[in-house]
Each structure stands twice: as structure tokens, then as C-alpha cells.
Amino acid sequence: MRLFVPAEIEAYAHEHTRELGPLFDELRDTTYARAAMPQMQVGRVEGSLLRLLARLVGARRILEIGTFTGFSALCMAEALPEGGELVTCDVSEESTRMAQGFFDRSPHGGKIRIALGDALATLGALDERPFCLAFIDADKVNYVAYYEAIVPRLRSGGLLIADNALLSGEVLDPKSPAAVAVAAFNRRVTSDPRVENVMLTVRDGVMLARKL
């Protein structure tokens, strides 16, 4: 993942974003020690952004596509009230096992339910209660499919967030299947009359879309 601002500016932003707590530090260290492709994990800045956005929309029910080792889910779960729910979808037994171990140690972990398997199938099997917020951070070739499945399930005023919307700059001249898919996703969101959107250059690009 190529960052879009100088490393010293990234470090400054990190230092001036409030710490998330020792459990998150341990989760980051464990991920980098044990997981393949640990750079997929969101860090303090993006995790804090997710938590803040969840609080701002008053989220009570959250959907996440792409659990990895659980950093982003734990961040968002902290914003949920008692009785709130976060459903996080992934296909990896190994990474979700690590995530569950950290969920079990968090006072907010009981709000999180891991759904192992194909995310589109999981979404289709869920009850019809709307989501307040959805976060997409999974296989890029399915971003448009995830988007089309999620938007009807968002409440009015609900927020969809997608990570890696700039894909290390590859969207400027997309050639790989992932880059072509993310570029198509960005175009779809921007042209969709059901939402208002903004692209942020946070880390690898974050797309925000609020359902009208």
C-alpha cells in the first residue's frame, strides 16, 4: 500500500490522533507478528475515523465486509450502545480466530458477531432490519456487488464506508482486475442518485457515501 502523504505527515497524524488503548496496540503487534499481509489492518487514524463516524451517525447496527484480525470491528463496536450489533463477514478461519480472541477480551466484544463464509450469501440470509453503517474492506473485485447489496439495506441517512478506494494510485490507470473493479466502484458511487459521497485521501483512500 502506497501512502499519499509524506511519512512524516502520516506519523504526525498518528501522534495527534487519540490512542485507542493497550488492547489495540497488542492486536496490531500480534497481527504484524503472525498474520500474512499485516498491512491490510487499519491503524489508529483510520480506526479512530471509523469509530467517530459510527458515533456521529448514532449507529445501532453495523455491517462489516472483511474482518481480517478484528481491529476495525473493535473500533466500531466501541461506538455502539448496549444492545447494538456489529456483523462482520470474512472467509478466513485463521484471521477470524485471532479476531475472536481479541473480541473475547474486550468489554465491547459481545456486540460483535463473526459470519464466516461468502459475504453476499451472509447478507442475503440476514433479517431485514436496516444497518446504520457499513464498512467494506474485502476482496476488491466484488466492491460493486457488495455496494449494490448493501445500499438497499442501509437506513435513510446511513453511511457506507469503503477502504482502499485509491488502491495505491492504481485507479488513475487501472490495469489489474482489482484496480479496474475499484475504479468501477468509485464511478458507481459518484453517479448513484441514492447517495451523496466524498472521497478522502486517508491512508489508501476512503470512500464515504451517505444514503439519502
Side-chain angles (χ1 to χ4, degrees):
M1 180 182 70
R2 180 171 65 82
L3 300 178
F4 292 90
V5 298
E8 58 270 25
I9 297 297
E10 282 284 335
Y12 187 86
H14 177 89
E15 291 164 6
H16 290 82
T17 299
R18 187 163 304 194
E19 293 183 3
L20 291 167
L23 187 64
F24 288 94
D25 294 336
E26 183 182 347
L27 176 52
R28 182 187 186 281
D29 292 343
T30 301
T31 299
Y32 273 80
R34 293 171 45 192
M37 301 183 68
Q39 70 275 13
M40 294 195 305
Q41 184 181 69
V42 304
R44 180 194 296 181
V45 174
E46 189 172 357
S48 296
L49 175 64
L50 292 171
R51 183 177 63 179
L52 182 59
L53 290 171
R55 284 182 173 147
L56 287 173
V57 301
R60 295 191 60 85
R61 195 175 193 224
I62 296 174
L63 174 70
E64 178 179 61
I65 308 295
T67 312
F68 193 40
T69 57
F71 197 103
S72 51
L74 271 180
C75 287
M76 293 185 287
E78 288 192 353
L80 288 170
E82 290 302 318
E85 178 189 37
L86 189 154
V87 179
T88 182
C89 307
D90 208 289
V91 296
S92 171
E93 293 185 11
E94 183 177 1
S95 63
T96 54
R97 189 179 304 115
M98 185 187 303
Q100 187 64 62
F102 280 87
F103 297 164
D104 291 342
R105 295 169 55 195
S106 167
H108 302 282
K111 305 170 186 175
I112 303 171
R113 176 166 67 87
I114 295 174
L116 195 62
D118 178 79
L120 291 172
T122 296
L123 187 57
L126 293 174
D127 64 64
E128 294 300 316
R129 288 178 298 146
F131 291 98
C132 308
L133 184 147
F135 178 49
I136 305 174
D137 187 14
D139 54 309
K140 311 311 169 192
V141 295
N142 277 316
Y143 263 34
V144 170
Y146 294 144
Y147 177 78
E148 297 295 356
I150 290 169
V151 170
R153 301 292 304 272
L154 281 176
R155 67 165 171 81
S156 178
L159 185 64
L160 183 141
I161 309 165
D163 199 11
N164 306 114
L166 294 173
L167 205 66
S168 298
E170 290 184 47
V171 291
L172 297 178
D173 185 21
K175 291 185 170 63
S176 70
V180 169
V182 173
F185 165 79
N186 292 336
R187 291 193 300 272
R188 174 63 180 130
V189 176
T190 304
S191 64
D192 190 350
R194 297 174 296 176
V195 302
E196 57 179 342
N197 75 296
V198 61
M199 170 84 74
L200 304 180
T201 54
V202 174
R203 286 179 59 81
D204 195 30
V206 175
M207 175 69 83
L208 302 182
R210 176 182 174 272
K211 186 174 179 179
L212 300 174

